[in-house]
Amino acid sequence: MSRPKFVAGNWKMYTTRAGAVDLAAAVAKGLPAGGKTRVAVCPPFPWLTAVADALKGTPVAVGAQNCHFEKEGAFTGETAPGMILDAGCQYVIIGHSERRHGFGETDGLLNKKTKAALAAGLSVIFCVGELLAEREASQTEKVLETQLTHGLADLSAAQLEKVVVAYEPVWAIGTGKVATTEQAQAAHAFIRQKIAGQFGEKAAAGLLIQYGGSVKPDNAAALLHQPDVDGALVGGASLKADTFLAIVAAGG
């Protein structure tokens, strides 16, 4: 099955309002006419509406970086999936390693968030990946299997059509290290195999699996042309339009 490429920028806790709008506009302006690669940007919460407004009528989608699992309620400081949708978003990142390991988010919690986001009408970028100690202990596949099995538990194959999986080896995020093309391909192929067992071959064949972890213009092409790598979840390199657009261009 021929799958489209999908490159998303995770702006994390960076940018000002004006800077976010300018960056979004520059990304949209710089996309090649008729480009086939899907593109999204994920700004900080306060800038979602401003960025969504700036990107109206362009091919660039907007995503949030996190969400709560309830529709509404007394959850001070949290943001419901429906609010994210109402702000102009199509996507939400769930389970980024900085949420898993910095904020202690569990597979069970991430499963609740995923279900809530899908129920609200959002598409989910669901992140999985192992720590350096886990890779060195040859536990990568065990970790990925656990995160996929529990994080995507009780979803249907139809719901999975609105899920993108992002493989992000935690040891490669913000470190300058990057998985080799062989390491990335092996992990992506394993993820697709596990999804096939969980949701069926057809669902697995259609699933987009992004690579995330120090993706830059100089390594993007080699990564994005691996058979099971369908795009990238880009961190630091997404904060400058020229570097982000170079990664998008590397997808073909």
Side-chain angles (χ1 to χ4, degrees):
M1 175 184 282
S2 177
R3 294 179 297 272
K5 300 295 185 186
F6 177 35
V7 176
N10 176 13
W11 296 358
K12 304 190 180 183
M13 201 170 72
Y14 295 104
T15 68
T16 61
R17 185 184 189 279
V21 169
D22 288 347
L23 176 56
V27 168
K29 185 178 180 181
L31 288 179
K36 295 180 180 179
T37 299
R38 296 180 187 173
V39 179
V41 294
C42 301
F45 275 114
W47 319 145
L48 287 177
T49 302
V51 168
D53 286 346
L55 291 173
K56 276 181 183 171
T58 77
V60 183
V62 182
Q65 300 172 20
N66 183 34
C67 70
H68 196 266
F69 56 84
E70 294 286 1
K71 290 182 180 179
E72 61 182 9
F75 303 104
T76 301
E78 293 293 330
T79 307
M83 296 174 179
I84 293 169
L85 188 75
D86 203 21
C89 293
Q90 293 172 248
Y91 292 93
V92 60
I93 299 172
I94 291 178
H96 191 281
S97 63
E98 291 158 6
R99 301 297 312 178
R100 289 178 182 270
H101 302 293
F103 294 89
E105 296 192 353
T106 64
D107 291 325
L109 175 63
L110 299 176
N111 181 244
K112 290 168 73 172
K113 289 187 176 189
T114 298
K115 289 174 180 174
L118 293 172
L122 292 166
S123 292
V124 170
I125 299 174
F126 186 81
C127 301
V128 297
E130 81 282 7
L131 298 167
L132 180 59
E134 292 167 337
R135 173 163 282 275
E136 290 178 340
S138 300
Q139 293 182 326
T140 296
E141 292 186 354
K142 180 182 178 182
V143 171
L144 295 177
E145 181 171 14
T146 298
Q147 291 174 341
L148 291 166
T149 300
H150 297 292
L152 301 179
D154 304 318
L155 297 188
S156 67
Q159 286 177 304
L160 192 75
E161 291 178 4
K162 295 197 70 175
V163 175
V164 173
V165 171
Y167 168 64
E168 41 164 31
V170 182
W171 46 272
I173 296 172
T175 63
K177 296 180 181 180
V178 62
T180 66
T181 53
E182 293 80 11
Q183 287 173 324
Q185 168 56 24
H188 282 236
F190 177 79
I191 290 168
R192 203 174 301 284
Q193 173 193 331
K194 295 314 298 178
I195 291 294
Q198 202 168 341
F199 296 96
E201 293 287 348
K202 182 179 178 182
L207 177 72
L208 298 187
I209 309 175
Q210 297 174 316
Y211 172 80
S214 296
V215 181
K216 297 178 176 63
D218 60 358
N219 61 33
L223 287 163
L224 294 180
H225 286 87
Q226 296 302 303
D228 286 293
V229 179
D230 305 311
L233 181 58
V234 186
S238 70
L239 294 170
K240 292 185 177 179
D242 57 348
T243 55
F244 183 64
L245 287 165
I247 293 169
V248 172

